[in-house]
Structures are given as C-alpha cells and as structure tokens.
Amino acid sequence: MTGISAPWHEKTTIAFFGIRGIGSFYYLAYGLNHIDDLQHPARLWAIVGLVVLMSIIMHGLSVTPIMRMQGRDPDAEDAVPPPRFQGPGGDQR
C-alpha cells in the first residue's frame, strides 16, 4: 500500500477487505442500482458480507502455514522482511 496515493483510512479498508472484497461490495451496489424489481436486497448484502468475512478469516488462518510450506517462517527470530518492507536502515539482522 506504500505506493498508493490515498488517504490512510482508504488504505486500511483495502488492506483489511482486499481488492476482491471491495470489488464484491462495489459490484453488488452497482447491480442493485440497476435492477428495478429486486425482492431481497438486504439478503444479498448479508450474503456478500458473509462471504467476504469468511474470506478474511480463511486467508488470515492460512497465510502463516502457506508461508512456512514455502520455506519462509514469518514468526522466526531471524525473519527478515522483503527489501521494500524493511523500513529505515535496510537489512536489520
């Protein structure tokens, strides 16, 4: 999110929901504005919200095991962030 010129609250929202989660909400809102005779719009919002929430939970639970399978342990004491995410001072081993 460093290279994006957006307010911090927008960056936080995108980081939390992900681009696909934001897209899900956007396209649902777009579709609801273009359908005249829709019976249960609140149900659609609930379903999309649940799917996005489940996605957040599943990705959050699976990211560390997947990184470990790739040989990167984010919880290791000697873990070094990628070059663009090291902050001031560069490699701080």
Side-chain angles (χ1 to χ4, degrees):
M1 302 302 295
T2 305
I4 297 174
S5 60
W8 68 268
H9 61 276
E10 287 183 20
K11 289 181 181 183
T12 304
T13 302
I14 294 170
F16 183 76
F17 288 113
I19 196 68
R20 290 189 181 109
I22 298 294
S24 299
F25 293 127
Y26 173 82
Y27 286 115
L28 176 60
Y30 179 85
L32 291 177
N33 284 324
H34 287 81
I35 296 174
D36 295 329
D37 187 27
L38 187 63
Q39 300 296 322
H40 304 286
R43 185 176 292 177
L44 287 175
W45 280 110
I47 291 169
V48 169
L50 179 64
V51 168
V52 170
L53 178 65
M54 294 300 291
S55 173
I56 292 168
I57 291 169
M58 294 305 295
H59 284 94
L61 292 174
S62 64
V63 68
T64 299
I66 290 172
M67 288 182 71
R68 286 184 179 151
M69 284 190 306
Q70 294 177 354
R72 292 181 262 159
D73 187 357
D75 298 326
E77 297 233 357
D78 61 345
V80 178
R84 292 186 55 146
F85 295 97
Q86 290 178 353
D91 187 12
Q92 301 171 357
R93 287 188 198 205

